[in-house]
Amino acid sequence: MIHYIIQTLAFQLLFLIVYDLFLKKETFFNANRAYLLVTPLLSLIIPFIQIAAIRESIPDSFVVQLPAVVIGDKADTVAAAQGYIESNWMTFKNLWMFGVVISLVFSSYKLFKIFKLKRKGNTSEIGSLTVVKLPKSNAAFTFLKTIFLGDQLSTKQQQSILLHEEVHVSQRHTWDLVFFEGLRILFWFNPLIYIYQKRMVLLQEYIADSIVAKKQSKKEYYQSLLSEVFQTEKISFINTFFNNSLIKNRIVMLQKSKSKRILQLKYLLILPLLGGMLFYTSCTQDASAQGQGVNSADLTSQTDSEILQKIAELKESIAAKGEMTKEEEEALKVLYVLTNPEGLHTKEFQEVKDKVGIPFGVIEKVPVYPGCEGLSEKESKKCFTQKITQFIINEFNHKVGGSDLSGRQRIMVHFKINREGNIVNVKAKAHDQALIDEAVRVAKKLPKMTPGEHQGKKVGVEYALPIIFEIK
């Protein structure tokens, strides 16, 4: 979840940078409006998209694998932060819900203020519009199909304002701001949503100004903008006629010549941006993927043709040798069990049941780490990863290797949780033997677990764990 939030923030920031640098100053107002409405939604959806064709075309060395266990000089800080976030996820969830409730209360209060103003004012109908005259006020704003006008405004000012606010009503601008208000409630902690809403408010003023300026002279319209400062309610989802911070930008945009159509090609910038985002999400593996084990990782990185090539090579090797050892026969039976449609219900499974290993990422029921009992399958998998991560951090000897090692050292540990729940077949890869020995020692100390199950049968589970060892 933390990684998802970071991705969302990064994508929204990139979209806003493109908007501010290339699109904001153009007069393609409707296209910009669509951009501001669609891109925050894309940033929420893209992290869930992983295109297999992209993943398979990228070398494994470029694939991001998350999260790795960090051990060493920075381990205390990293482990404390990661452990605190993961183990106290419910606390963060409750904090998020508290923020949602508070934001909802504020938004409800804003609505209450609008309806209170409507009750205080004198209401009249102009076509499909509702106009509310506010006593002793010079405010001017719109909410949905209702236009609020202060009774202290002159007749000429009211006429100009009505033309402006009618555009907001006809183009349903309030719904844009209500959309962002909803995002602000759900993602109250995300400052970029507030920036998105401010960009939309300014863009809506540009749209209304450009339409009204065609109905009356620009000089007259400038004068109405500069005539006085109105005491407009500062509510995030209403369209205000006057806003000090926006007036200068509105006048500048009114003076701007219509953008040339060729400049619409700027919107094509979104294509490489989306491509880069999809490239990243397709090449990112989460915690559940990292437990698939070496066999699964190798197979999933191969195309069907490569697998067929491996099978052909195996057949040729067997034919050339003429006979197989007992271990080779067992290995071939394991392969048969894993590829047979009947799976673990074949008679061969009984012969090699202690040899079969199902990758952690695909097993139907993962092993249960002590302390993770009674959870759903998804929560059990998450708890399993958290517990192992914390165990490795606590048990790993930070001084291993002495002064011979420095910098970031990566260790890949593979082990199997057998049908009795014990840790067996522990292997490790690293550039230094001391790190290998320490990783194997720690992995062998993992506690006995409730064994995993697949197709209703207890089965061994293959697990792969990356460790990053920080040494100064």
Side-chain angles (χ1 to χ4, degrees):
M1 178 58 71
I2 300 299
H3 185 229
Y4 169 76
I5 292 172
I6 293 173
Q7 287 184 83
T8 299
L9 290 171
F11 294 163
Q12 287 180 356
L13 180 60
L14 287 173
F15 281 131
L16 281 171
I17 289 173
V18 168
Y19 179 80
D20 283 354
L21 291 180
F22 302 104
L23 306 176
K24 185 173 67 173
K25 295 181 180 180
E26 304 301 336
T27 60
F28 308 121
F29 300 134
N30 290 327
N32 282 351
R33 182 185 180 190
Y35 182 95
L36 290 177
L37 289 173
V38 171
T39 52
L41 290 179
L42 284 177
S43 67
L44 298 175
I45 296 171
I46 289 175
F48 293 108
I49 301 176
Q50 292 192 341
I51 301 176
I54 296 177
R55 168 64 184 88
E56 291 172 358
S57 65
I58 304 301
D60 288 342
S61 59
F62 290 99
V63 177
V64 181
Q65 193 172 43
L66 299 170
V69 182
V70 180
I71 298 174
D73 293 322
K74 297 181 181 178
D76 293 339
T77 303
V78 174
Q82 183 181 20
Y84 182 79
I85 290 173
E86 297 294 345
S87 63
N88 293 279
W89 171 242
M90 287 303 297
T91 302
F92 284 91
K93 185 177 179 181
N94 292 335
L95 178 62
W96 170 76
M97 293 180 65
F98 176 75
V100 168
V101 171
I102 295 299
S103 300
L104 193 58
V105 169
F106 274 109
S107 294
S108 300
Y109 177 68
K110 295 173 188 177
L111 282 173
F112 171 75
K113 288 176 70 176
I114 293 174
F115 289 118
K116 185 178 178 181
L117 287 172
K118 191 172 183 178
R119 286 198 303 269
K120 287 173 57 179
N122 299 316
T123 304
S124 60
E125 303 292 331
I126 301 178
S128 61
L129 302 178
T130 300
V131 178
V132 178
K133 293 289 183 67
L134 302 175
K136 299 179 181 180
S137 173
N138 56 5
F141 63 91
T142 299
F143 180 72
L144 296 177
K145 292 185 177 182
T146 303
I147 299 174
F148 295 80
L149 294 174
D151 61 3
Q152 294 182 4
L153 300 173
S154 68
T155 302
K156 186 176 182 180
Q157 289 172 333
Q158 290 185 22
Q159 291 174 349
S160 179
I161 291 170
L162 278 173
L163 285 174
H164 183 95
E165 299 303 314
E166 282 176 4
V167 177
H168 289 313
V169 173
S170 64
Q171 299 212 5
R172 298 179 175 84
H173 285 172
T174 301
W175 289 112
D176 296 353
L177 302 183
V178 168
F179 165 73
F180 283 111
E181 191 69 18
L183 291 181
R184 281 176 57 168
I185 292 172
L186 291 175
F187 304 101
W188 53 268
F189 53 86
N190 182 359
L192 299 178
I193 296 297
Y194 298 79
I195 297 174
Y196 260 107
Q197 192 177 52
K198 287 182 178 180
R199 297 292 187 273
M200 179 60 77
V201 168
L202 181 58
L203 180 62
Q204 289 178 349
E205 296 308 312
Y206 291 164
I207 293 172
D209 289 342
S210 66
I211 293 174
V212 175
K214 294 176 183 178
K215 299 179 181 179
Q216 58 182 217
S217 70
K218 286 188 177 181
K219 181 179 179 181
E220 182 181 352
Y221 195 60
Y222 293 154
Q223 289 175 346
S224 68
L225 284 175
L226 296 171
S227 59
E228 62 177 291
V229 178
F230 288 88
Q231 298 170 354
T232 305
E233 290 283 346
K234 291 185 177 180
I235 297 176
S236 55
F237 49 84
I238 62 174
N239 301 107
T240 61
F241 182 75
F242 274 90
N243 185 320
N244 276 343
S245 62
L246 303 184
I247 289 177
K248 180 180 177 181
N249 290 327
R250 290 168 62 184
I251 292 176
V252 169
M253 187 58 73
L254 274 171
Q255 293 175 325
K256 187 176 178 65
S257 301
K258 188 175 181 180
S259 299
K260 296 179 181 179
R261 287 194 173 185
I262 190 66
L263 294 177
Q264 290 179 336
L265 293 175
K266 287 183 176 183
Y267 292 99
L268 295 178
L269 289 168
I270 197 174
L271 297 179
L273 190 61
L274 286 173
M277 293 175 182
L278 290 173
F279 180 90
Y280 175 78
T281 57
S282 298
C283 297
T284 301
Q285 298 175 350
D286 60 17
S288 63
Q290 80 175 23
Q292 291 182 0
V294 62
N295 294 333
S296 174
D298 289 342
L299 290 176
T300 54
S301 67
Q302 295 174 333
T303 62
D304 291 341
S305 60
E306 289 174 325
I307 294 175
L308 291 173
Q309 184 179 353
K310 294 291 185 183
I311 292 174
E313 292 173 358
L314 177 62
K315 289 167 61 178
E316 184 178 343
S317 177
I318 293 173
K321 189 176 181 181
E323 60 181 11
M324 293 186 294
T325 64
K326 182 180 179 181
E327 290 76 12
E328 290 170 340
E329 289 180 3
E330 289 179 341
L332 197 58
K333 287 181 180 179
V334 168
L335 180 61
Y336 174 78
V337 169
L338 294 177
T339 56
N340 192 290
E342 295 183 17
L344 307 188
H345 297 290
T346 61
K347 63 179 183 179
E348 284 78 11
F349 172 70
Q350 293 301 320
E351 300 177 26
V352 292
K353 58 185 179 182
D354 292 326
K355 302 289 184 179
V356 172
I358 304 294
F360 183 85
V362 299
I363 193 168
E364 293 175 354
K365 188 175 180 181
V366 299
V368 179
Y369 196 99
C372 298
E373 296 84 357
L375 300 176
S376 66
E377 186 61 19
K378 182 178 179 181
E379 291 297 324
S380 181
K381 184 178 288 189
K382 181 178 179 181
C383 181
F384 181 97
T385 303
Q386 291 172 354
K387 294 284 189 180
I388 282 189
T389 298
Q390 197 58 53
F391 182 90
I392 297 294
I393 290 172
N394 292 339
E395 295 292 330
F396 207 96
N397 181 7
H398 296 191
K399 298 180 180 179
V400 66
S403 59
D404 296 333
L405 297 174
S406 63
R408 294 170 67 92
Q409 302 289 329
R410 185 176 181 85
I411 315 166
M412 180 60 73
V413 183
H414 300 277
F415 57 85
K416 181 178 178 180
I417 305 164
N418 67 15
R419 297 175 67 249
E420 287 73 42
N422 297 316
I423 306 299
V424 297
N425 300 343
V426 180
K427 299 177 182 178
K429 290 183 179 180
H431 292 298
D432 186 85
Q433 187 61 43
L435 293 178
I436 293 174
D437 294 341
E438 180 61 15
V440 170
R441 182 191 70 82
V442 174
K444 286 183 176 180
K445 289 185 64 178
L446 284 165
K448 184 174 182 178
M449 308 174 198
T450 303
E453 295 183 16
H454 197 73
Q455 298 177 1
K457 296 181 181 291
K458 292 183 179 180
V459 67
V461 179
E462 303 282 354
Y463 193 86
L465 180 68
I467 299 175
I468 296 176
F469 191 58
E470 290 273 5
I471 305 172
K472 285 186 179 178

